[in-house]
Amino acid sequence: MTDASTSETMSPGLLKVVERAKREPEGRFHSLAHLMDVSALMRAYQRMRKDAAVGVDGVTKEKYGQNLEDNLGDLHARLVTKRYRHQPILRVHIPKDKSKTRPIGISAFEDKLVQDAVREVLEAIYEQEFLDCSYGFRPGRGAHDAMVALDRIAHRGKVSWILEADIMSFFDSLDRTKLKELLQIRVADGSLMLVPPRAARGGSAESAPVPPIRCGAFNLVLDVHPRHRRPSLHLLWLLLRDAFVHAQQ
């Protein structure tokens, strides 16, 4: 659910989306793209880290901010007229252990802004549906909070076994067609739905705001699908970013 600290930073339009998502859990949203206005792009810019890795464009937050109003205005105009195109994602390998590396993708700065603005819109809808046991890429939550919850349940003495699973190459192997179908259950705005696929075609941008869109939708399958709503059997089901922990009697 959306907390007070999150709602304070939302635009009036996003707050209306939140209220409707709560009021109409089966409702579809046909008009969302207009929420990605210059103000939304500005909020995304303000959320960007100054020391974030640079993509193929070589643009940092500081450099983009030197002509911020014009840059955001131009970006918004391209989004409105459907001239926006996601740039190629820079693929790099970082050390994972002594003998392996882990591939990640780094989006161009402007693409990070668009991705984060999309995330903000989708988050307004889906945060109202996620279960309390979901922690992956959710505002105000993280892996540490999940482990605290697990520790609390385990120390009650009611857990017989704990299963931990790591989904190999999650962001690379996620079925993007199924992801789009899942999002379209509630998001009927074709203009907004164009952005995540464009970003996905650029590669696996695990360091960019795209993963919350993908991982959040994956969480939604486990959270909302009727087959998974069996609290009498599940003591704890912790959904992280690309892994899960399941504790049961």
Side-chain angles (χ1 to χ4, degrees):
M1 304 295 285
T2 304
D3 57 29
S5 60
T6 303
S7 63
E8 287 176 359
T9 62
M10 284 185 170
S11 67
L14 283 174
L15 288 174
K16 290 181 180 179
V17 171
V18 169
E19 292 306 315
R20 187 190 165 198
K22 292 178 181 177
R23 187 175 64 251
E24 303 175 24
E26 303 295 327
R28 300 188 75 203
F29 292 81
H30 293 79
S31 181
L32 293 170
H34 70 281
L35 297 172
M36 292 179 56
D37 53 17
V38 174
S39 295
L41 295 173
M42 177 64 78
R43 290 194 299 274
Y45 173 82
Q46 293 170 343
R47 287 189 291 263
M48 291 296 119
R49 290 170 42 197
K50 294 181 179 179
D51 59 346
V54 177
V56 295
D57 58 344
V59 176
T60 63
K61 180 177 182 178
E62 180 181 4
K63 183 176 180 180
Y64 195 85
Q66 291 175 358
N67 195 21
L68 185 57
E69 290 188 9
D70 289 343
N71 285 336
L72 293 181
D74 177 68
L75 175 57
H76 179 251
R78 281 182 279 129
L79 286 168
V80 171
T81 57
K82 296 181 174 59
R83 292 182 293 112
Y84 164 75
R85 295 294 180 271
H86 194 283
Q87 298 185 58
I89 289 176
L90 178 63
R91 192 75 162 181
V92 298
H93 291 259
I94 61 175
K96 186 175 183 179
D97 52 39
K98 293 182 179 179
S99 59
K100 296 181 180 179
T101 61
R102 175 168 168 261
I104 64 169
I106 303 173
S107 290
F109 186 80
E110 197 169 66
D111 296 327
K112 293 178 183 178
L113 298 182
V114 175
Q115 293 162 11
D116 196 53
V118 172
R119 176 203 56 76
E120 185 181 56
V121 174
L122 295 181
E123 198 170 80
I125 300 172
Y126 292 111
E127 267 297 306
Q128 320 318 314
E129 301 192 38
F130 288 145
L131 298 178
D132 191 52
C133 59
S134 294
Y135 288 84
F137 288 116
R138 293 187 60 189
R141 290 177 168 229
H144 178 73
D145 301 298
M147 293 303 99
V148 169
L150 177 60
D151 182 73
R152 183 172 60 250
I153 294 294
H155 279 81
R156 291 179 184 174
K158 298 180 179 181
V159 176
S160 298
W161 53 269
I162 296 175
L163 171 66
E164 178 186 5
D166 183 16
I167 304 173
M168 184 179 297
S169 301
F170 173 70
F171 297 107
D172 289 323
S173 60
L174 187 61
D175 190 325
R176 292 166 177 79
T177 300
K178 293 296 183 182
L179 168 61
K180 184 177 180 180
E181 291 174 358
L182 179 63
L183 291 174
Q184 287 176 333
I185 294 175
R186 298 216 68 186
V187 180
D189 189 333
S191 297
L192 185 74
M193 289 302 297
L194 283 174
V195 180
R198 285 174 181 164
R201 284 196 295 269
S204 177
E206 190 167 336
S207 65
V210 165
I213 301 173
R214 301 180 189 168
C215 187
F218 173 74
N219 283 7
L220 190 65
V221 175
L222 299 176
D223 274 8
V224 178
H225 198 287
R227 289 182 302 173
H228 298 281
R229 285 189 177 275
R230 298 184 295 173
S232 61
L233 296 179
H234 298 261
L235 276 177
L236 185 63
W237 178 271
L238 296 175
L239 292 170
L240 307 173
R241 44 183 282 168
D242 57 353
F244 65 86
V245 178
H246 177 64
Q248 186 166 322
Q249 289 179 324

